[in-house]
Amino acid sequence: MELEQLTPRVYHLRFSQKEDRPSLGYIRGDRFSLMVDAGNSPQQVALFRAAVQAAGFRQPDLVALTHSHWDHCFGLCSLDIPSIACVQTRQSLEMFSRLQWTPDALEENAQKGIIPQACVPRIRLHYPQLEKIRVVLPTMVYSEEMTLDLGNCTCVLKRVTSPHARDTAIVWVKEEQMVFLGDAVYQELVGDTWVERPRKLRLLMEQLERLDFQLCQPAHQRALTKSDLIAWFQRRLRKSEEG
């Protein structure tokens, strides 16, 4: 797999629906590079590192997490670089780090709603030996916003309201007029059902409308223009109102 260029300084390793792999971002500053999300496993991290090397770029100096769901952070254990997340993501990962990872415990935690039922077979597919799961905590945290100067490239890590998760953050690359959205744009997974949250979706739309960007990359689909993103939100809101 190769890095796909999104803007002059922004790249990503494309998502894979079949493999439950989110898009992983790579942002090139003059002094530092930033990885966005840590992937679902050490295997995805290895693919990312190989793609960065093949492109002739230095390996990332930092990694920023968009939220605490397994497919965005279980690869963190194989990254030997500082990691950054919002306070709520660290709190969620602290809870996950205390869980037992056995077949019985996984089913019990799904029944309790700690882990969505739909994620159980996906996690077991990637981790035939569940005890190999190692949840690592971020090394740096922020409350609402953190700004990183990568060298002529400013990244703003920003908490947002999202239908998907309470600990959602985005990565806004200011000069590139580009945003990594993670799973912010998606519905909430409850058990094995996707549930729309219109109030939170409207708040997210309002927050993103205020940001200066032209292109955005959700974690599990192709990049969208800002106008296409807002139009998608508006269609979903109309559907919710009609329903």
Side-chain angles (χ1 to χ4, degrees):
M1 298 182 69
E2 297 180 349
L3 291 182
E4 179 179 298
Q5 188 169 19
L6 297 170
T7 76
R9 287 187 180 269
V10 177
Y11 301 74
H12 78 134
L13 188 68
R14 283 195 61 189
F15 63 94
S16 169
Q17 301 290 21
K18 181 180 178 181
E19 301 291 338
D20 297 308
R21 290 175 179 154
S23 164
L24 299 183
Y26 182 86
I27 305 166
R28 295 181 67 199
D30 289 344
R31 292 185 297 149
F32 306 103
S33 60
L34 177 68
M35 179 179 183
V36 179
D37 277 327
N40 65 7
S41 63
Q43 289 75 23
Q44 189 180 9
V45 171
L47 289 173
F48 177 82
R49 285 189 178 278
V52 170
Q53 183 175 355
F57 301 153
R58 66 173 177 269
Q59 293 296 324
D61 300 289
L62 303 158
V63 58
L65 302 180
T66 60
H67 64 301
S68 58
H69 288 171
W70 75 278
D71 54 326
H72 293 255
C73 64
F74 275 15
L76 194 58
C77 64
S78 62
L79 285 164
D80 56 353
I81 55 177
S83 53
I84 311 170
C86 70
V87 171
Q88 290 78 6
T89 292
R90 182 184 171 91
Q91 291 170 345
S92 293
L93 290 177
E94 285 174 344
M95 183 271 291
F96 287 133
S97 72
R98 293 192 292 269
L99 298 179
Q100 287 188 317
W101 296 99
T102 65
D104 289 344
L106 184 60
E107 289 294 341
E108 182 180 348
N109 288 324
Q111 291 173 10
K112 291 178 179 178
I114 296 172
I115 296 171
Q117 186 65 51
C119 293
V120 170
R122 301 174 187 178
I123 292 173
R124 297 195 66 169
L125 177 66
H126 285 281
Y127 295 92
Q129 296 174 288
L130 289 170
E131 66 275 10
K132 289 193 174 181
I133 293 174
R134 188 159 63 90
V135 178
V136 173
L137 303 183
T139 49
M140 292 179 277
V141 296
Y142 60 93
S143 301
E144 297 298 325
E145 189 173 295
M146 176 185 282
T147 300
L148 302 175
D149 180 1
L150 303 182
N152 292 314
C153 183
T154 308
C155 294
V156 180
L157 317 183
K158 185 178 181 65
R159 273 205 71 211
V160 293
T161 301
S162 165
H164 188 73
R166 74 179 187 92
D167 63 323
T168 300
I170 61 173
V171 179
W172 174 33
V173 193
K174 291 180 70 172
E175 291 86 354
E176 302 294 293
Q177 293 188 304
M178 186 272 166
V179 180
F180 281 103
L181 294 171
D183 285 358
V185 298
Y186 302 125
Q187 299 165 316
E188 181 182 3
L189 182 57
V190 181
D192 58 2
T193 304
W194 291 100
V195 179
E196 190 70 276
R197 304 295 186 194
R199 183 187 67 82
K200 291 182 177 180
L201 180 61
R202 187 174 296 279
L203 288 171
L204 175 64
M205 182 174 71
E206 292 170 356
Q207 289 175 306
L208 292 176
E209 280 182 315
R210 292 195 291 268
L211 282 188
D212 181 18
F213 70 96
Q214 298 296 321
L215 186 71
C216 61
Q217 178 62 62
H220 298 279
Q221 66 193 84
R222 282 193 167 275
L224 299 168
T225 64
K226 185 177 185 178
S227 58
D228 285 344
L229 177 72
I230 299 303
W232 179 36
F233 286 167
Q234 290 170 337
R235 288 195 300 272
R236 287 167 57 184
L237 288 169
R238 283 197 299 270
K239 185 176 179 180
S240 296
E241 292 167 359
E242 292 166 359

